[in-house]
Amino acid sequence: MDILEDLNPRQREAVEAVDGPVLVLAGPGSGKTRVLTHRVAYLIRVCGVPPWQIMAVTFTNKAAREMKDRLHHLIGARLGQLTIGTFHAVCARILRREAQHLGVDSSFVIYDDDDQLGLIKQALKELDLDHRTYQPRAIQGAIRQAKQELVDPDSYVPKTYWHEVARRVYARYQKLLRDNNALDFDDLLMVTAQLFRQHQDVLHKYQRRYSHILVDEFQDTNMAQYQLVKLLAGEHHNLFVVGDEDQSIYRWRGADFRNIQRFRRDFPEAKTILLEQNYRSTQTILDAARHVISRNTQRTDKRLWTEKEGGVPITLVEAYDEQEEAEFVVEEISRLVASGDFSPGDHAVMYRTNAQSRVLEEAFMRHGLPYKLVGATRFYQRREVKDLLAYLRLIHNPFDQVSLSRVINVPPRGIGPKTLGWIQSLADRRQVPIYTALQLVKEAAEEQASRSNEEADTPAYRPQMATFSGRGGNALLGFLSLLDSWIAVRDEKRVHELLDRVIQDTGYEAHLRDGTPEGEDRWENVQELRRVAMEYAELPPAEGLASFLEEVALVSDVDNLDEKVDAPTLLTLHAAKGLEFPVVFIVGMEEGLFPHSRSFDDPEAMEEERRLCYVGITRAKERVYLIYTFRRAMYASSEECEPSRFLHDIPQHLIQGPGDLMGRGAPAPIARGPARRQPLPRATSAPGYKPGDRVEHPAFGEGVVISSRPAGDDEELEIAFVGRGIKRILASYVWPCK
DNA sequence: CTGGTGACAGTTTTT
DNA sequence: CTGTCACCAG
């Protein structure tokens, strides 16, 4: 039975526990994906469960894809009969099939965060509410939270007057969604749960269909997701969940790791299996991570162990500021690569906030080294991509008002707020969507034209027409005829051909390529989108458009991480979950940054920061570098920093510092002797510059010193660089010009 | 209707 | 120091 062969006893137990509920608590690197895939294969090949009776849900498309890839080796073509996907994708599929029970059309569109925010703003406007008191973002948060707890506007119990207003906005927002035949991300879950609760027959159908349910990253489920799987498994209880409380880092998005406890309570007969053998890291790394996480209260203690005993100590580094921090990282990576032990792609640099990536990027660029950046602005969130997708959504469904108002004046075609407001109010008066209102205007205009010879001045027509005669009206008609011309060919043209037509007819290319480098970047993104569209060229046109739109709605990040490129990866700690690297640098280990200051007054938030640190450290296979700075630029000013409390939790014997570089005593507060305050061994000690001195900088080239002031043991110079303007730079970064 | 200016706020982000 | 948004002058 090859399926069980390469599993350790615990993993094997998890795979073989076929009947009833099973909870697998899987530490980092303990092979949970392996357990999941092998269990599916075991169910099919050994227990004879038909593949179509198995549902496996994940949180990310990436996880789903990885699972499919691995399963392909184990079960081959039968893979296609399994239901594997994200919660949202699985729910969307169910909802399209059961649309008749729901008051939505099965062609509903899925709104993302931006669309959602737009609709909330509209709701606020319609209710005549002040957007300063009722900030759209805050309202959005309240609505999302409610939906994740399966609370609809009618059952919403406001805690404060503000929440009462939020409830009203919520109700209005839901109506707007329905008017647009749209669901937002959270609806996919909430509406599915409602469907199951209100239609027992439908629920039974799915309960019978899926005899085995598996859930990955169970600690990240929210209430809605938990209720969903609980409902689905309500009859047979064959629910297999894998999770790790210590890696729960999405509390702020509604994830509730207490679902693990709930699971134990709701399924008391559940078998619990601990996976504690780690196949990733050295013992040193595991020990350090355990010391950090063990200060958390609400957790099951696990003792991770590995056969990779010992290992290199954790390296702790103090840098003068974020520049030097970045410089250290880049140089250390270069050194490790030069030593021959590691290749560039073995390294990851992790940080708490995206803003920290910039300095790092600059350092890599200065050294002429390539790097991979994860996250930042996501592809499908870029303006140009969203614009073009809105056009396509509009072609697919011209009644989608959110998409319509997004693009009706992009590129600018003379339809400003006034004209938009006019057509909107016409639509409201007639109780029709804007698209229909546009058609009414067109009919009226045609009628007027045909009468223009003799009867144009008939009093009955004049007042109605007067309003849209002129620029606004013509612009609207122009837009409508564009849209209609695309709709006319919608079922013949393939997605990328439609895209080309839109770009062509709207002059979108010229709109983007305004001569700036950013414009070129944007145009490049359009090309990328076109490449994605090309992948749907095989399908019949109408189907191609529909599945393209579904796919891009639910696949936000194009998992752009290109495995083939051999370069260091820059990413947030959150983005690092689920990944592993031989060498991990965690930068910005300072109080206020990591842990973030927002967590100071909330013990639960602080525990989450701690878990985040745990996740970061456990990504490493061989080496970990923890770096903090003496001072860091915050917005405009630069502030002195305190080393992160998490550093104190790692026992001294696991740590190695470059000599007395860090005046650090454990376990007491980090002793920072007054001695070491200067930037590190970079250029020889600052010689003392005065205005007029000529200096050279590795990136900016030659410049002239304008002013100088002491900064610690270093000095901060204002330098005018040839063609680069004036920069403030530490003396140790420049060399005197001979 | 557009493009410019000033006030204001500013973690993390699976879908 | 950014980016976003409301507001005002062409």
Side-chain angles (χ1 to χ4, degrees), chain A residues 398-651:
Chain A
F399 301 105
D400 174 0
Q401 311 212 29
V402 168
S403 296
L404 189 137
S405 36
R406 179 177 183 101
V407 295
I408 197 165
N409 200 31
V410 177
R413 52 172 73 90
I415 305 176
K418 195 159 158 244
T419 310
L420 189 56
W422 181 80
I423 190 72
Q424 177 80 60
S425 70
L426 176 67
D428 290 348
R429 260 179 288 135
R430 301 289 176 91
Q431 300 267 304
V432 293
I434 293 185
Y435 178 63
T436 312
L438 285 171
Q439 286 174 320
L440 288 176
V441 171
K442 185 179 163 207
E443 282 165 26
E446 278 164 0
E447 195 155 345
Q448 190 186 40
S450 71
R451 288 164 184 263
S452 63
N453 298 334
E454 59 249 52
E455 300 167 74
D457 283 337
T458 313
Y461 278 92
R462 223 180 315 159
Q464 224 186 337
M465 293 303 112
T467 10
F468 73 84
S469 61
R471 270 190 325 201
N474 286 330
L476 286 175
L477 292 180
F479 178 75
L480 179 66
S481 71
L482 269 183
L483 182 53
D484 282 337
S485 75
W486 298 324
I487 292 174
V489 296
R490 161 177 80 181
D491 296 333
E492 298 144 35
K493 299 260 184 244
R494 289 169 297 177
V495 186
H496 67 274
E497 292 167 332
L498 282 174
L499 196 59
D500 289 340
R501 278 283 304 262
V502 170
I503 294 167
Q504 180 80 52
D505 295 350
T506 58
Y508 201 78
E509 180 174 358
H511 171 63
L512 286 186
R513 304 180 84 175
D514 54 2
T516 63
E518 291 80 22
E520 291 305 308
D521 277 358
R522 293 185 187 284
W523 180 241
E524 195 41 54
N525 290 326
V526 172
Q527 298 305 308
E528 180 58 33
L529 183 67
R530 191 176 182 280
R531 276 191 285 277
V532 177
M534 291 273 277
E535 289 170 22
Y536 294 78
E538 305 289 306
L539 296 170
E543 198 183 315
L545 181 59
S547 44
F548 173 74
L549 291 175
E550 168 97 14
E551 194 90 345
V552 297
L554 292 174
V555 178
S556 76
D557 201 342
V558 237
D559 304 77
N560 38 15
L561 245 202
D562 194 343
E563 313 264 318
K564 283 159 283 181
V565 180
D566 186 20
T569 304
L570 273 51
L571 73 180
T572 62
L573 287 149
H574 283 91
K577 197 172 80 162
L579 304 176
E580 61 175 32
F581 302 89
V583 185
V584 167
F585 294 82
I586 303 179
V587 299
M589 299 285 308
E590 297 134 39
E591 288 291 301
L593 187 57
F594 189 35
H596 197 275
S597 52
R598 298 247 170 156
S599 63
F600 283 170
D601 47 6
D602 178 354
E604 302 234 315
M606 184 56 80
E607 292 214 344
E608 179 141 316
E609 296 284 307
R610 198 172 275 288
R611 292 192 290 268
L612 196 52
C613 185
Y614 177 76
V615 167
I617 294 173
T618 54
R619 296 310 92 196
K621 294 163 102 160
E622 305 282 336
R623 289 170 191 250
V624 173
Y625 290 83
L626 302 175
I627 309 167
Y628 63 95
T629 62
F630 166 59
R631 61 187 312 145
R632 182 175 294 274
M634 294 298 290
Y635 308 128
S637 63
S638 167
E639 282 169 21
E640 288 200 14
C641 309
E642 195 65 35
S644 170
R645 66 190 67 189
F646 305 144
L647 298 175
H648 299 283
D649 300 329
I650 305 174

Side-chain angles (χ1 to χ4, degrees), chain A residues 255-325:
Chain A
D256 187 355
F257 67 87
R258 282 178 213 82
N259 281 338
I260 291 180
Q261 274 102 61
R262 283 193 195 103
F263 177 88
R264 285 176 152 162
R265 192 195 60 211
D266 293 343
F267 299 94
E269 78 274 31
K271 181 176 279 186
T272 300
I273 296 167
L274 260 67
L275 299 184
E276 294 175 301
Q277 182 174 1
N278 174 292
Y279 295 94
R280 179 186 296 152
S281 313
T282 65
Q283 191 64 49
T284 304
I285 290 169
L286 293 182
D287 287 346
R290 183 168 54 87
H291 277 97
V292 170
I293 198 68
S294 62
R295 296 181 67 112
N296 272 1
T297 51
Q298 300 179 296
R299 59 186 292 273
T300 320
D301 193 43
K302 288 178 287 297
R303 280 213 166 235
L304 289 178
W305 61 277
T306 172
E307 289 173 354
K308 292 195 208 174
E309 284 170 33
V312 182
I314 309 288
T315 306
L316 187 61
V317 177
E318 179 181 281
Y320 177 73
D321 61 8
E322 69 275 6
Q323 315 281 340
E324 193 186 86
E325 175 181 71

Side-chain angles (χ1 to χ4, degrees), chain A residues 339-358:
Chain A
S339 75
D341 294 335
F342 299 97
S343 67
D346 289 341
H347 302 83
V349 189
M350 303 174 188
Y351 35 81
R352 179 66 239 266
T353 69
N354 275 311
Q356 290 169 261
S357 72
R358 243 186 74 177

Side-chain angles (χ1 to χ4, degrees), chain A residues 715-737:
Chain A
E715 59 182 312
E716 190 179 81
L717 304 175
E718 254 190 311
I719 305 168
F721 288 102
V722 184
R724 303 294 191 112
I726 296 168
K727 312 258 182 213
R728 263 201 281 237
I729 288 175
L730 286 170
S732 45
Y733 284 91
V734 299
W735 288 265
C737 214

Side-chain angles (χ1 to χ4, degrees), chain A residues 183-203:
Chain A
L183 297 177
D184 63 27
F185 283 142
D186 301 305
D187 274 344
L188 294 175
L189 307 177
M190 180 173 79
V191 176
T192 307
Q194 285 172 345
L195 169 76
F196 286 160
R197 283 182 175 172
Q198 287 158 16
H199 300 270
Q200 288 292 314
D201 49 327
V202 179
L203 174 61

Side-chain angles (χ1 to χ4, degrees), chain A residues 103-114:
Chain A
V104 291
D105 187 271
S106 71
S107 68
F108 63 82
V109 292
I110 299 167
Y111 281 174
D112 71 8
D113 279 9
D114 279 354

